[in-house]
Amino acid sequence: MAFLLPPLTGVVTRMFHDLFNGRLAIDIGITLFRAISAFSIAAISGITLGILISRVRPIRWFFDPLLSIGLPMPKVALLPIFMLWFGLFDASKILMAAFSASFQIVVTTWAGTRGVERELVWSARSLGASERQILWEVIFRAAMPQILTGLQIAMPICVIVVLVTEMVMGGQGLGDSMLRSARYVDSPGVFAGIVEIGLLGFCVMKTMEVVRRRLLAWHQETQKDH
Amino acid sequence: MGSVARSPLDQRERSQGASGGITISGVNHEYRPPRGRPVLALDGISLEVADREFIAMLGPSGCGKSTLLYLVGGFMPLQQGRIVVNGKQVTGPGPDRGIVFQNFALFPWKTVRDNVLYGLEKQRLPKSEREEIAQHYIDMVHLAGFEDSYPSQLSGGMKQRVAIARTLAIKPDTLLMDEPFGALDAQTRSLMQEELVSIWTQSPTTVVFVTHDVREAVLLADRVAVMTARPGRLKEIVDTKMDDLPQSEVMKTRKYLDMVDYTWNLVREEAIAADSEKDR
């Protein structure tokens, strides 16, 4: 029975063990490093592409069908190609996760920038703002709530894909450690891994919420909480 | 209110071209929906607005009065005809023509102060001067104490005051107002009308004021241009300059009541025409 469902004490003991021998810190550090790198790449490229799509007609024409194909597709299915192109180490894991997460950011940025009311843009223009200033000071800012929603969806995708690539390719991190435990039929290790992943996810999501509240201090959604 | 001393800020550069005012000649405008036939929104509009005149555009909804305002603002490309503002042909939007919208169009992520400062920042004035001007206009619209509030924390009337302060702060020669009080409740609206008149007497500019409220138009404007149902043509221009009295007094005068009555009859015919157009 202990093999199918290890006792809670066993799992907790295992986690303390991981914590004190430094294993946990290293695994979380590596997974988090990969996830945050992937997230940064996805955020920068996704927001840029989303804005370009909403502003430049030929780019929209080109990417619109690609997004419709790519969005529902399980992007990890391309992992063998990423391994082939970018090797077996950090680069392929990070790029795989960035690629998977960028779709959500592109779509929400596009939707957000498209929905900016024209009176807001006209006001800025009549107050003397240049087209570039309008893009960054008005359209980007007005789309911020939706862009942040995209980022909040993208962050867990990054964590998930990084864990999956670690499970498939190894190379340390929480995903690798967990799968290794599974190979040695070390069920407290597997369950400890699940709990650790859960805690990591919780911390990441809460951090994103704090960031959102900070950036949207002006927004009604934030003010209702007070 | 007419004798209120002008503040030194108001005497700052206001370019006074010899040919002030607005000349609109032969403007046609077609609304082209993405699908379906194009609709003629404006049909041969010609109109002269004198320098520092307050003119109201009145007409049934859908008659193109807002479109005409947007064309004067340069927000939409002019399809046919000519619009000259202060001697300059309109080719695009510019800070010489300030606009106030019905839905306020404030930057919701900026505080009241930063909203008012936005246009001033584009003018490359020194920081202290910018802040002084912004504060002057915030005080003028009675929003002192709310400088650090966000628009979402303000009432509708306060938001519209911020929008007015933001527009006035850049000292436009021409003020374009697109149903500015249409989203406000009746009490707030009449307070805002009084305030607008008092601001305008302090520093008169050319005003084009779009509204569908006949009383408002007659009360505020020197002349009221009544437009027909679609396609929008000029039906009649009514001289509605009222005696120099406080607003509450003006509203009791025979002249005001007759004017409202007369103008309402003009608009009524068009409103009925616009309504039957809808049913077809």
Side-chain angles (χ1 to χ4, degrees), chain A residues 117-120 122-123 125-127 129 133 137-138 141-142 218 223, chain B residues 75 93-95 101 103 105-106 108-109 118 122 150 152-153 166:
Chain A
E117 48 178 333
R118 66 177 186 182
E119 285 86 353
L120 214 53
W122 287 359
S123 291
R125 204 167 278 159
S126 116
L127 289 166
Q133 286 168 334
E137 294 170 3
V138 180
R141 291 302 304 269
W218 53 272
Q223 284 157 14
Chain B
F75 301 113
F101 292 104
N103 63 1
L106 295 173
W109 54 89
Y118 188 78
K122 305 290 170 241
Y150 288 107
S152 58
Q153 298 167 316
R166 182 179 68 177

PDB file of all heavy atoms in Angstrom, chain A residues 117-120 122-123 125-127 129 133 137-138 141-142 218 223, chain B residues 75 93-95 101 103 105-106 108-109 118 122 150 152-153 166:
ATOM      1  N   GLU A 117     -10.529  52.404 -27.328  1.00  0.00           N
ATOM      2  CA  GLU A 117     -11.529  53.282 -27.922  1.00  0.00           C
ATOM      3  C   GLU A 117     -10.866  54.415 -28.696  1.00  0.00           C
ATOM      4  O   GLU A 117      -9.848  54.955 -28.284  1.00  0.00           O
ATOM      5  CB  GLU A 117     -12.488  53.827 -26.861  1.00  0.00           C
ATOM      6  CG  GLU A 117     -11.818  54.391 -25.649  1.00  0.00           C
ATOM      7  CD  GLU A 117     -12.812  54.958 -24.632  1.00  0.00           C
ATOM      8  OE1 GLU A 117     -13.898  55.371 -25.037  1.00  0.00           O
ATOM      9  OE2 GLU A 117     -12.475  55.018 -23.453  1.00  0.00           O
ATOM     10  N   ARG A 118     -11.481  54.752 -29.828  1.00  0.00           N
ATOM     11  CA  ARG A 118     -10.850  55.714 -30.722  1.00  0.00           C
ATOM     12  C   ARG A 118     -10.786  57.098 -30.097  1.00  0.00           C
ATOM     13  O   ARG A 118      -9.867  57.861 -30.383  1.00  0.00           O
ATOM     14  CB  ARG A 118     -11.579  55.758 -32.066  1.00  0.00           C
ATOM     15  CG  ARG A 118     -12.985  56.299 -31.975  1.00  0.00           C
ATOM     16  CD  ARG A 118     -13.647  56.384 -33.335  1.00  0.00           C
ATOM     17  NE  ARG A 118     -14.941  57.045 -33.163  1.00  0.00           N
ATOM     18  CZ  ARG A 118     -15.817  57.265 -34.119  1.00  0.00           C
ATOM     19  NH1 ARG A 118     -15.543  56.866 -35.341  1.00  0.00           N
ATOM     20  NH2 ARG A 118     -16.950  57.870 -33.887  1.00  0.00           N
ATOM     21  N   GLU A 119     -11.740  57.433 -29.221  1.00  0.00           N
ATOM     22  CA  GLU A 119     -11.706  58.758 -28.597  1.00  0.00           C
ATOM     23  C   GLU A 119     -10.435  58.967 -27.763  1.00  0.00           C
ATOM     24  O   GLU A 119      -9.930  60.075 -27.658  1.00  0.00           O
ATOM     25  CB  GLU A 119     -12.936  58.979 -27.701  1.00  0.00           C
ATOM     26  CG  GLU A 119     -14.225  59.253 -28.442  1.00  0.00           C
ATOM     27  CD  GLU A 119     -14.943  57.973 -28.851  1.00  0.00           C
ATOM     28  OE1 GLU A 119     -14.366  56.874 -28.663  1.00  0.00           O
ATOM     29  OE2 GLU A 119     -16.079  58.067 -29.360  1.00  0.00           O
ATOM     30  N   LEU A 120      -9.950  57.865 -27.169  1.00  0.00           N
ATOM     31  CA  LEU A 120      -8.736  57.957 -26.360  1.00  0.00           C
ATOM     32  C   LEU A 120      -7.538  58.295 -27.246  1.00  0.00           C
ATOM     33  O   LEU A 120      -6.718  59.156 -26.921  1.00  0.00           O
ATOM     34  CB  LEU A 120      -8.516  56.598 -25.671  1.00  0.00           C
ATOM     35  CG  LEU A 120      -7.898  56.601 -24.285  1.00  0.00           C
ATOM     36  CD1 LEU A 120      -8.651  57.497 -23.348  1.00  0.00           C
ATOM     37  CD2 LEU A 120      -7.840  55.184 -23.742  1.00  0.00           C
ATOM     38  N   TRP A 122      -7.732  59.684 -30.246  1.00  0.00           N
ATOM     39  CA  TRP A 122      -7.951  61.019 -30.811  1.00  0.00           C
ATOM     40  C   TRP A 122      -7.584  62.107 -29.810  1.00  0.00           C
ATOM     41  O   TRP A 122      -7.004  63.134 -30.173  1.00  0.00           O
ATOM     42  CB  TRP A 122      -9.411  61.178 -31.247  1.00  0.00           C
ATOM     43  CG  TRP A 122      -9.755  60.417 -32.483  1.00  0.00           C
ATOM     44  CD1 TRP A 122      -8.896  59.638 -33.223  1.00  0.00           C
ATOM     45  CD2 TRP A 122     -11.018  60.358 -33.143  1.00  0.00           C
ATOM     46  NE1 TRP A 122      -9.567  59.095 -34.286  1.00  0.00           N
ATOM     47  CE2 TRP A 122     -10.868  59.513 -34.274  1.00  0.00           C
ATOM     48  CE3 TRP A 122     -12.262  60.921 -32.902  1.00  0.00           C
ATOM     49  CZ2 TRP A 122     -11.919  59.238 -35.149  1.00  0.00           C
ATOM     50  CZ3 TRP A 122     -13.310  60.646 -33.765  1.00  0.00           C
ATOM     51  CH2 TRP A 122     -13.137  59.820 -34.885  1.00  0.00           C
ATOM     52  N   SER A 123      -7.943  61.895 -28.545  1.00  0.00           N
ATOM     53  CA  SER A 123      -7.599  62.891 -27.522  1.00  0.00           C
ATOM     54  C   SER A 123      -6.097  63.094 -27.475  1.00  0.00           C
ATOM     55  O   SER A 123      -5.610  64.225 -27.497  1.00  0.00           O
ATOM     56  CB  SER A 123      -8.064  62.432 -26.143  1.00  0.00           C
ATOM     57  OG  SER A 123      -9.450  62.449 -26.050  1.00  0.00           O
ATOM     58  N   ARG A 125      -3.901  62.447 -29.733  1.00  0.00           N
ATOM     59  CA  ARG A 125      -3.420  63.049 -30.970  1.00  0.00           C
ATOM     60  C   ARG A 125      -3.678  64.546 -30.943  1.00  0.00           C
ATOM     61  O   ARG A 125      -2.819  65.344 -31.321  1.00  0.00           O
ATOM     62  CB  ARG A 125      -4.148  62.385 -32.137  1.00  0.00           C
ATOM     63  CG  ARG A 125      -3.419  62.458 -33.438  1.00  0.00           C
ATOM     64  CD  ARG A 125      -4.040  61.529 -34.468  1.00  0.00           C
ATOM     65  NE  ARG A 125      -3.573  60.161 -34.308  1.00  0.00           N
ATOM     66  CZ  ARG A 125      -4.228  59.092 -34.778  1.00  0.00           C
ATOM     67  NH1 ARG A 125      -5.371  59.243 -35.413  1.00  0.00           N
ATOM     68  NH2 ARG A 125      -3.720  57.893 -34.608  1.00  0.00           N
ATOM     69  N   SER A 126      -4.859  64.940 -30.468  1.00  0.00           N
ATOM     70  CA  SER A 126      -5.183  66.365 -30.475  1.00  0.00           C
ATOM     71  C   SER A 126      -4.422  67.116 -29.379  1.00  0.00           C
ATOM     72  O   SER A 126      -4.248  68.321 -29.457  1.00  0.00           O
ATOM     73  CB  SER A 126      -6.693  66.567 -30.365  1.00  0.00           C
ATOM     74  OG  SER A 126      -7.036  67.227 -29.185  1.00  0.00           O
ATOM     75  N   LEU A 127      -3.933  66.390 -28.377  1.00  0.00           N
ATOM     76  CA  LEU A 127      -3.115  67.045 -27.343  1.00  0.00           C
ATOM     77  C   LEU A 127      -1.662  67.158 -27.784  1.00  0.00           C
ATOM     78  O   LEU A 127      -0.820  67.672 -27.048  1.00  0.00           O
ATOM     79  CB  LEU A 127      -3.197  66.268 -26.027  1.00  0.00           C
ATOM     80  CG  LEU A 127      -4.541  66.349 -25.295  1.00  0.00           C
ATOM     81  CD1 LEU A 127      -4.636  65.297 -24.215  1.00  0.00           C
ATOM     82  CD2 LEU A 127      -4.769  67.721 -24.694  1.00  0.00           C
ATOM     83  N   ALA A 129       0.352  64.447 -29.205  1.00  0.00           N
ATOM     84  CA  ALA A 129       1.201  63.255 -29.141  1.00  0.00           C
ATOM     85  C   ALA A 129       1.527  62.760 -30.549  1.00  0.00           C
ATOM     86  O   ALA A 129       0.693  62.832 -31.448  1.00  0.00           O
ATOM     87  CB  ALA A 129       0.499  62.155 -28.351  1.00  0.00           C
ATOM     88  N   GLN A 133       4.336  58.006 -29.719  1.00  0.00           N
ATOM     89  CA  GLN A 133       3.886  58.243 -28.336  1.00  0.00           C
ATOM     90  C   GLN A 133       2.503  57.654 -28.110  1.00  0.00           C
ATOM     91  O   GLN A 133       2.220  57.099 -27.052  1.00  0.00           O
ATOM     92  CB  GLN A 133       3.870  59.747 -28.044  1.00  0.00           C
ATOM     93  CG  GLN A 133       5.262  60.322 -27.860  1.00  0.00           C
ATOM     94  CD  GLN A 133       5.271  61.827 -27.873  1.00  0.00           C
ATOM     95  OE1 GLN A 133       4.398  62.465 -28.465  1.00  0.00           O
ATOM     96  NE2 GLN A 133       6.264  62.414 -27.243  1.00  0.00           N
ATOM     97  N   GLU A 137       2.273  55.278 -25.135  1.00  0.00           N
ATOM     98  CA  GLU A 137       1.690  55.960 -23.981  1.00  0.00           C
ATOM     99  C   GLU A 137       0.183  55.760 -23.891  1.00  0.00           C
ATOM    100  O   GLU A 137      -0.405  55.980 -22.844  1.00  0.00           O
ATOM    101  CB  GLU A 137       2.007  57.464 -24.049  1.00  0.00           C
ATOM    102  CG  GLU A 137       3.490  57.752 -23.906  1.00  0.00           C
ATOM    103  CD  GLU A 137       3.836  59.193 -24.204  1.00  0.00           C
ATOM    104  OE1 GLU A 137       2.930  59.995 -24.467  1.00  0.00           O
ATOM    105  OE2 GLU A 137       5.039  59.518 -24.194  1.00  0.00           O
ATOM    106  N   VAL A 138      -0.441  55.401 -24.998  1.00  0.00           N
ATOM    107  CA  VAL A 138      -1.899  55.255 -24.965  1.00  0.00           C
ATOM    108  C   VAL A 138      -2.329  53.820 -25.248  1.00  0.00           C
ATOM    109  O   VAL A 138      -2.915  53.163 -24.388  1.00  0.00           O
ATOM    110  CB  VAL A 138      -2.582  56.232 -25.962  1.00  0.00           C
ATOM    111  CG1 VAL A 138      -4.085  56.060 -25.912  1.00  0.00           C
ATOM    112  CG2 VAL A 138      -2.201  57.662 -25.640  1.00  0.00           C
ATOM    113  N   ARG A 141      -0.701  51.173 -22.945  1.00  0.00           N
ATOM    114  CA  ARG A 141      -1.182  51.321 -21.570  1.00  0.00           C
ATOM    115  C   ARG A 141      -2.652  50.922 -21.434  1.00  0.00           C
ATOM    116  O   ARG A 141      -3.059  50.308 -20.454  1.00  0.00           O
ATOM    117  CB  ARG A 141      -1.006  52.769 -21.087  1.00  0.00           C
ATOM    118  CG  ARG A 141       0.430  53.186 -20.883  1.00  0.00           C
ATOM    119  CD  ARG A 141       1.150  52.298 -19.889  1.00  0.00           C
ATOM    120  NE  ARG A 141       0.494  52.222 -18.597  1.00  0.00           N
ATOM    121  CZ  ARG A 141       0.738  53.018 -17.572  1.00  0.00           C
ATOM    122  NH1 ARG A 141       1.646  53.953 -17.675  1.00  0.00           N
ATOM    123  NH2 ARG A 141       0.099  52.869 -16.436  1.00  0.00           N
ATOM    124  N   ALA A 142      -3.446  51.290 -22.426  1.00  0.00           N
ATOM    125  CA  ALA A 142      -4.868  50.963 -22.358  1.00  0.00           C
ATOM    126  C   ALA A 142      -5.087  49.461 -22.476  1.00  0.00           C
ATOM    127  O   ALA A 142      -6.045  48.919 -21.932  1.00  0.00           O
ATOM    128  CB  ALA A 142      -5.627  51.704 -23.460  1.00  0.00           C
ATOM    129  N   TRP A 218      -4.581  51.817 -10.907  1.00  0.00           N
ATOM    130  CA  TRP A 218      -5.573  52.778 -11.382  1.00  0.00           C
ATOM    131  C   TRP A 218      -6.888  52.120 -11.737  1.00  0.00           C
ATOM    132  O   TRP A 218      -7.901  52.783 -11.892  1.00  0.00           O
ATOM    133  CB  TRP A 218      -5.043  53.488 -12.628  1.00  0.00           C
ATOM    134  CG  TRP A 218      -4.593  52.545 -13.709  1.00  0.00           C
ATOM    135  CD1 TRP A 218      -3.336  52.007 -13.837  1.00  0.00           C
ATOM    136  CD2 TRP A 218      -5.350  52.019 -14.787  1.00  0.00           C
ATOM    137  NE1 TRP A 218      -3.283  51.189 -14.930  1.00  0.00           N
ATOM    138  CE2 TRP A 218      -4.502  51.172 -15.541  1.00  0.00           C
ATOM    139  CE3 TRP A 218      -6.678  52.188 -15.212  1.00  0.00           C
ATOM    140  CZ2 TRP A 218      -4.931  50.495 -16.676  1.00  0.00           C
ATOM    141  CZ3 TRP A 218      -7.088  51.513 -16.342  1.00  0.00           C
ATOM    142  CH2 TRP A 218      -6.223  50.671 -17.060  1.00  0.00           C
ATOM    143  N   GLN A 223      -9.355  48.722  -7.218  1.00  0.00           N
ATOM    144  CA  GLN A 223      -9.879  49.599  -6.180  1.00  0.00           C
ATOM    145  C   GLN A 223     -11.001  48.955  -5.379  1.00  0.00           C
ATOM    146  O   GLN A 223     -11.229  49.312  -4.251  1.00  0.00           O
ATOM    147  CB  GLN A 223     -10.357  50.902  -6.815  1.00  0.00           C
ATOM    148  CG  GLN A 223      -9.155  51.767  -7.165  1.00  0.00           C
ATOM    149  CD  GLN A 223      -9.465  52.756  -8.239  1.00  0.00           C
ATOM    150  OE1 GLN A 223     -10.607  52.982  -8.557  1.00  0.00           O
ATOM    151  NE2 GLN A 223      -8.436  53.341  -8.806  1.00  0.00           N
TER     152      GLN A 223
ATOM    153  N   PHE B  75      -9.802  64.465 -37.367  1.00  0.00           N
ATOM    154  CA  PHE B  75      -9.666  63.071 -36.948  1.00  0.00           C
ATOM    155  C   PHE B  75     -10.030  62.107 -38.066  1.00  0.00           C
ATOM    156  O   PHE B  75      -9.611  60.961 -38.068  1.00  0.00           O
ATOM    157  CB  PHE B  75     -10.554  62.796 -35.726  1.00  0.00           C
ATOM    158  CG  PHE B  75     -10.217  63.665 -34.562  1.00  0.00           C
ATOM    159  CD1 PHE B  75     -11.106  64.623 -34.111  1.00  0.00           C
ATOM    160  CD2 PHE B  75      -8.989  63.537 -33.927  1.00  0.00           C
ATOM    161  CE1 PHE B  75     -10.781  65.437 -33.039  1.00  0.00           C
ATOM    162  CE2 PHE B  75      -8.666  64.342 -32.864  1.00  0.00           C
ATOM    163  CZ  PHE B  75      -9.565  65.300 -32.421  1.00  0.00           C
ATOM    164  N   PRO B  93      -5.315  66.229 -36.920  1.00  0.00           N
ATOM    165  CA  PRO B  93      -5.566  66.815 -35.606  1.00  0.00           C
ATOM    166  C   PRO B  93      -4.380  67.661 -35.152  1.00  0.00           C
ATOM    167  O   PRO B  93      -3.267  67.470 -35.633  1.00  0.00           O
ATOM    168  CB  PRO B  93      -5.691  65.587 -34.689  1.00  0.00           C
ATOM    169  CG  PRO B  93      -5.621  64.393 -35.561  1.00  0.00           C
ATOM    170  CD  PRO B  93      -5.060  64.799 -36.868  1.00  0.00           C
ATOM    171  N   GLY B  94      -4.627  68.599 -34.273  1.00  0.00           N
ATOM    172  CA  GLY B  94      -3.532  69.414 -33.747  1.00  0.00           C
ATOM    173  C   GLY B  94      -3.972  70.113 -32.489  1.00  0.00           C
ATOM    174  O   GLY B  94      -5.172  70.256 -32.236  1.00  0.00           O
ATOM    175  N   PRO B  95      -3.011  70.539 -31.684  1.00  0.00           N
ATOM    176  CA  PRO B  95      -3.342  71.170 -30.397  1.00  0.00           C
ATOM    177  C   PRO B  95      -3.977  72.551 -30.539  1.00  0.00           C
ATOM    178  O   PRO B  95      -4.367  73.137 -29.537  1.00  0.00           O
ATOM    179  CB  PRO B  95      -1.979  71.244 -29.676  1.00  0.00           C
ATOM    180  CG  PRO B  95      -0.957  71.035 -30.720  1.00  0.00           C
ATOM    181  CD  PRO B  95      -1.589  70.332 -31.864  1.00  0.00           C
ATOM    182  N   PHE B 101     -14.980  64.957 -25.447  1.00  0.00           N
ATOM    183  CA  PHE B 101     -15.924  63.941 -25.894  1.00  0.00           C
ATOM    184  C   PHE B 101     -17.000  63.655 -24.844  1.00  0.00           C
ATOM    185  O   PHE B 101     -16.797  63.891 -23.660  1.00  0.00           O
ATOM    186  CB  PHE B 101     -15.184  62.627 -26.179  1.00  0.00           C
ATOM    187  CG  PHE B 101     -14.271  62.694 -27.365  1.00  0.00           C
ATOM    188  CD1 PHE B 101     -12.896  62.799 -27.181  1.00  0.00           C
ATOM    189  CD2 PHE B 101     -14.768  62.644 -28.654  1.00  0.00           C
ATOM    190  CE1 PHE B 101     -12.041  62.859 -28.272  1.00  0.00           C
ATOM    191  CE2 PHE B 101     -13.924  62.697 -29.745  1.00  0.00           C
ATOM    192  CZ  PHE B 101     -12.561  62.801 -29.560  1.00  0.00           C
ATOM    193  N   ASN B 103     -17.883  60.725 -23.785  1.00  0.00           N
ATOM    194  CA  ASN B 103     -17.450  59.691 -22.835  1.00  0.00           C
ATOM    195  C   ASN B 103     -16.127  60.054 -22.151  1.00  0.00           C
ATOM    196  O   ASN B 103     -15.389  59.180 -21.703  1.00  0.00           O
ATOM    197  CB  ASN B 103     -17.369  58.338 -23.527  1.00  0.00           C
ATOM    198  CG  ASN B 103     -16.340  58.330 -24.637  1.00  0.00           C
ATOM    199  OD1 ASN B 103     -15.671  59.352 -24.870  1.00  0.00           O
ATOM    200  ND2 ASN B 103     -16.178  57.222 -25.315  1.00  0.00           N
ATOM    201  N   ALA B 105     -13.102  60.280 -22.354  1.00  0.00           N
ATOM    202  CA  ALA B 105     -11.849  59.843 -22.964  1.00  0.00           C
ATOM    203  C   ALA B 105     -10.622  60.266 -22.148  1.00  0.00           C
ATOM    204  O   ALA B 105      -9.612  60.714 -22.691  1.00  0.00           O
ATOM    205  CB  ALA B 105     -11.732  60.343 -24.412  1.00  0.00           C
ATOM    206  N   LEU B 106     -10.729  60.133 -20.829  1.00  0.00           N
ATOM    207  CA  LEU B 106      -9.554  60.401 -19.981  1.00  0.00           C
ATOM    208  C   LEU B 106      -8.629  59.195 -20.023  1.00  0.00           C
ATOM    209  O   LEU B 106      -9.069  58.081 -20.315  1.00  0.00           O
ATOM    210  CB  LEU B 106     -10.004  60.633 -18.536  1.00  0.00           C
ATOM    211  CG  LEU B 106     -10.867  61.870 -18.316  1.00  0.00           C
ATOM    212  CD1 LEU B 106     -11.379  61.888 -16.884  1.00  0.00           C
ATOM    213  CD2 LEU B 106     -10.078  63.127 -18.606  1.00  0.00           C
ATOM    214  N   PRO B 108      -7.263  56.491 -18.171  1.00  0.00           N
ATOM    215  CA  PRO B 108      -7.664  55.970 -16.848  1.00  0.00           C
ATOM    216  C   PRO B 108      -6.481  55.595 -15.957  1.00  0.00           C
ATOM    217  O   PRO B 108      -6.641  55.487 -14.749  1.00  0.00           O
ATOM    218  CB  PRO B 108      -8.507  54.735 -17.193  1.00  0.00           C
ATOM    219  CG  PRO B 108      -8.165  54.375 -18.584  1.00  0.00           C
ATOM    220  CD  PRO B 108      -7.707  55.624 -19.266  1.00  0.00           C
ATOM    221  N   TRP B 109      -5.296  55.402 -16.557  1.00  0.00           N
ATOM    222  CA  TRP B 109      -4.135  55.013 -15.761  1.00  0.00           C
ATOM    223  C   TRP B 109      -3.385  56.233 -15.239  1.00  0.00           C
ATOM    224  O   TRP B 109      -2.373  56.101 -14.565  1.00  0.00           O
ATOM    225  CB  TRP B 109      -3.184  54.138 -16.580  1.00  0.00           C
ATOM    226  CG  TRP B 109      -2.782  54.777 -17.867  1.00  0.00           C
ATOM    227  CD1 TRP B 109      -1.715  55.601 -18.066  1.00  0.00           C
ATOM    228  CD2 TRP B 109      -3.438  54.667 -19.125  1.00  0.00           C
ATOM    229  NE1 TRP B 109      -1.682  56.017 -19.367  1.00  0.00           N
ATOM    230  CE2 TRP B 109      -2.729  55.454 -20.037  1.00  0.00           C
ATOM    231  CE3 TRP B 109      -4.576  53.980 -19.558  1.00  0.00           C
ATOM    232  CZ2 TRP B 109      -3.105  55.580 -21.371  1.00  0.00           C
ATOM    233  CZ3 TRP B 109      -4.947  54.103 -20.879  1.00  0.00           C
ATOM    234  CH2 TRP B 109      -4.222  54.887 -21.777  1.00  0.00           C
ATOM    235  N   TYR B 118      -0.716  65.988 -19.511  1.00  0.00           N
ATOM    236  CA  TYR B 118      -0.293  65.244 -20.706  1.00  0.00           C
ATOM    237  C   TYR B 118      -0.032  66.140 -21.919  1.00  0.00           C
ATOM    238  O   TYR B 118       1.022  66.054 -22.554  1.00  0.00           O
ATOM    239  CB  TYR B 118      -1.330  64.174 -21.062  1.00  0.00           C
ATOM    240  CG  TYR B 118      -0.865  63.243 -22.150  1.00  0.00           C
ATOM    241  CD1 TYR B 118       0.028  62.223 -21.871  1.00  0.00           C
ATOM    242  CD2 TYR B 118      -1.288  63.405 -23.465  1.00  0.00           C
ATOM    243  CE1 TYR B 118       0.480  61.374 -22.861  1.00  0.00           C
ATOM    244  CE2 TYR B 118      -0.845  62.566 -24.472  1.00  0.00           C
ATOM    245  CZ  TYR B 118       0.044  61.548 -24.163  1.00  0.00           C
ATOM    246  OH  TYR B 118       0.490  60.721 -25.156  1.00  0.00           O
ATOM    247  N   LYS B 122       3.773  67.638 -23.993  1.00  0.00           N
ATOM    248  CA  LYS B 122       4.100  67.592 -25.417  1.00  0.00           C
ATOM    249  C   LYS B 122       4.571  68.950 -25.929  1.00  0.00           C
ATOM    250  O   LYS B 122       5.047  69.073 -27.039  1.00  0.00           O
ATOM    251  CB  LYS B 122       2.878  67.139 -26.232  1.00  0.00           C
ATOM    252  CG  LYS B 122       2.291  65.823 -25.782  1.00  0.00           C
ATOM    253  CD  LYS B 122       3.217  64.658 -26.124  1.00  0.00           C
ATOM    254  CE  LYS B 122       2.759  63.386 -25.478  1.00  0.00           C
ATOM    255  NZ  LYS B 122       3.736  62.815 -24.548  1.00  0.00           N
ATOM    256  N   TYR B 150      -7.623  58.864  -9.382  1.00  0.00           N
ATOM    257  CA  TYR B 150      -7.735  58.300 -10.728  1.00  0.00           C
ATOM    258  C   TYR B 150      -9.151  58.544 -11.240  1.00  0.00           C
ATOM    259  O   TYR B 150     -10.088  58.623 -10.434  1.00  0.00           O
ATOM    260  CB  TYR B 150      -7.443  56.795 -10.697  1.00  0.00           C
ATOM    261  CG  TYR B 150      -5.994  56.480 -10.477  1.00  0.00           C
ATOM    262  CD1 TYR B 150      -5.536  55.972  -9.263  1.00  0.00           C
ATOM    263  CD2 TYR B 150      -5.075  56.692 -11.497  1.00  0.00           C
ATOM    264  CE1 TYR B 150      -4.195  55.691  -9.060  1.00  0.00           C
ATOM    265  CE2 TYR B 150      -3.733  56.409 -11.307  1.00  0.00           C
ATOM    266  CZ  TYR B 150      -3.295  55.909 -10.088  1.00  0.00           C
ATOM    267  OH  TYR B 150      -1.973  55.637  -9.897  1.00  0.00           O
ATOM    268  N   SER B 152     -11.348  56.644 -12.379  1.00  0.00           N
ATOM    269  CA  SER B 152     -12.355  55.674 -11.923  1.00  0.00           C
ATOM    270  C   SER B 152     -12.875  55.999 -10.529  1.00  0.00           C
ATOM    271  O   SER B 152     -13.869  55.431 -10.088  1.00  0.00           O
ATOM    272  CB  SER B 152     -11.765  54.267 -11.948  1.00  0.00           C
ATOM    273  OG  SER B 152     -10.623  54.200 -11.142  1.00  0.00           O
ATOM    274  N   GLN B 153     -12.207  56.898  -9.829  1.00  0.00           N
ATOM    275  CA  GLN B 153     -12.662  57.265  -8.485  1.00  0.00           C
ATOM    276  C   GLN B 153     -13.546  58.510  -8.502  1.00  0.00           C
ATOM    277  O   GLN B 153     -13.983  58.968  -7.450  1.00  0.00           O
ATOM    278  CB  GLN B 153     -11.448  57.522  -7.585  1.00  0.00           C
ATOM    279  CG  GLN B 153     -10.584  56.281  -7.411  1.00  0.00           C
ATOM    280  CD  GLN B 153      -9.240  56.573  -6.792  1.00  0.00           C
ATOM    281  OE1 GLN B 153      -8.569  57.541  -7.165  1.00  0.00           O
ATOM    282  NE2 GLN B 153      -8.834  55.742  -5.852  1.00  0.00           N
ATOM    283  N   ARG B 166      -8.098  69.430 -19.119  1.00  0.00           N
ATOM    284  CA  ARG B 166      -7.017  68.878 -19.937  1.00  0.00           C
ATOM    285  C   ARG B 166      -6.966  69.554 -21.308  1.00  0.00           C
ATOM    286  O   ARG B 166      -5.896  69.846 -21.829  1.00  0.00           O
ATOM    287  CB  ARG B 166      -7.234  67.368 -20.109  1.00  0.00           C
ATOM    288  CG  ARG B 166      -6.168  66.678 -20.901  1.00  0.00           C
ATOM    289  CD  ARG B 166      -6.412  65.198 -21.034  1.00  0.00           C
ATOM    290  NE  ARG B 166      -7.576  64.906 -21.867  1.00  0.00           N
ATOM    291  CZ  ARG B 166      -7.970  63.670 -22.189  1.00  0.00           C
ATOM    292  NH1 ARG B 166      -7.305  62.629 -21.729  1.00  0.00           N
ATOM    293  NH2 ARG B 166      -9.020  63.478 -22.959  1.00  0.00           N
TER     294      ARG B 166
END
